[in-house]
Amino acid sequence: MAVLRLILLLAAFLSAAPVAANDLVGVASVIDADTLEIHGVRIRLHGIDAPESRQLCTNPSGQQWRCGQQAALALSDRIGRRTVNCAVRDVDRYDRAIAVCTQDNHDLNRWLVSEGWAVAYRRYSRDYIGAEDQARRAGRNIWSGQFVMPWDWRRGQRLP
């Protein structure tokens, strides 16, 4: 944990933009739709959970599609090679920073949920419930058909 804190301080120091000491700023690599990496630090996006990379969803016509892979690609396309700022809130049991990440002052966590690429992770936060409700009502992306909640999928539950 001390090493991660040192990396966070160093990343903030090396950044050209003035940021808080617990911010990570830089070009992010997308690991999956709810995990980024900046300066070698893994960042789990606060308050959201996205389908796993190998997870399948079913569209309205009954065809399966790789929703987890598509969610990660959507996030990668959204951020491109532009700078991302992640405000670290905590560190999880896997030693990943837990953060709200923004780009050009737009909350990427909220964007993923509002576009239907992730769900509000109510177990840890209530921050994105409204965005999830809007995405569900609009039938965006994972909400267009059937899917298994990511936390259930990780426990082995799959589509029928």
Side-chain angles (χ1 to χ4, degrees):
M1 188 112 67
V3 172
L4 179 58
R5 298 214 188 282
L6 179 62
I7 291 170
L8 293 173
L9 288 171
L10 181 59
F13 176 74
L14 294 175
S15 172
V19 295
N22 61 341
D23 281 4
L24 282 168
V25 179
V27 175
S29 298
V30 175
I31 305 304
D32 60 33
D34 54 25
T35 308
L36 302 175
E37 186 172 289
I38 297 176
H39 303 301
V41 177
R42 289 273 168 116
I43 303 158
R44 178 71 164 77
L45 299 180
H46 162 77
I48 73 169
D49 201 6
E52 297 297 317
S53 295
R54 294 184 345 264
Q55 187 170 344
L56 299 176
C57 295
T58 304
N59 68 21
S61 64
Q63 294 179 313
Q64 291 187 336
W65 59 288
R66 295 189 63 185
C67 54
Q69 178 188 51
Q70 290 302 309
L73 290 171
L75 178 58
S76 185
D77 287 347
R78 171 70 169 80
I79 65 175
R81 300 295 299 160
R82 296 175 316 179
T83 300
V84 172
N85 182 326
C86 295
V88 178
R89 293 182 168 204
D90 202 355
V91 176
D92 72 7
R93 64 184 173 163
Y94 303 109
D95 210 28
R96 296 176 299 191
I98 304 295
V100 173
C101 296
T102 60
Q103 186 178 60
D104 303 326
N105 294 318
H106 295 285
D107 182 335
L108 294 172
N109 306 34
R110 182 173 306 282
W111 178 83
L112 281 159
V113 175
S114 67
E115 290 298 315
W117 292 120
V119 295
Y121 209 169
R122 288 168 170 82
R123 179 176 176 187
Y124 298 103
S125 169
R126 300 182 59 76
D127 293 350
Y128 302 109
I129 292 172
E132 179 187 295
D133 290 343
Q134 290 175 353
R136 182 185 311 113
R137 280 193 302 272
R140 289 190 194 106
N141 295 308
I142 62 175
W143 296 106
S144 67
Q146 293 184 324
F147 70 98
V148 173
M149 286 294 185
W151 49 84
D152 291 331
W153 193 89
R154 287 190 294 273
R155 287 197 318 256
Q157 184 178 336
R158 302 296 189 261
L159 289 169

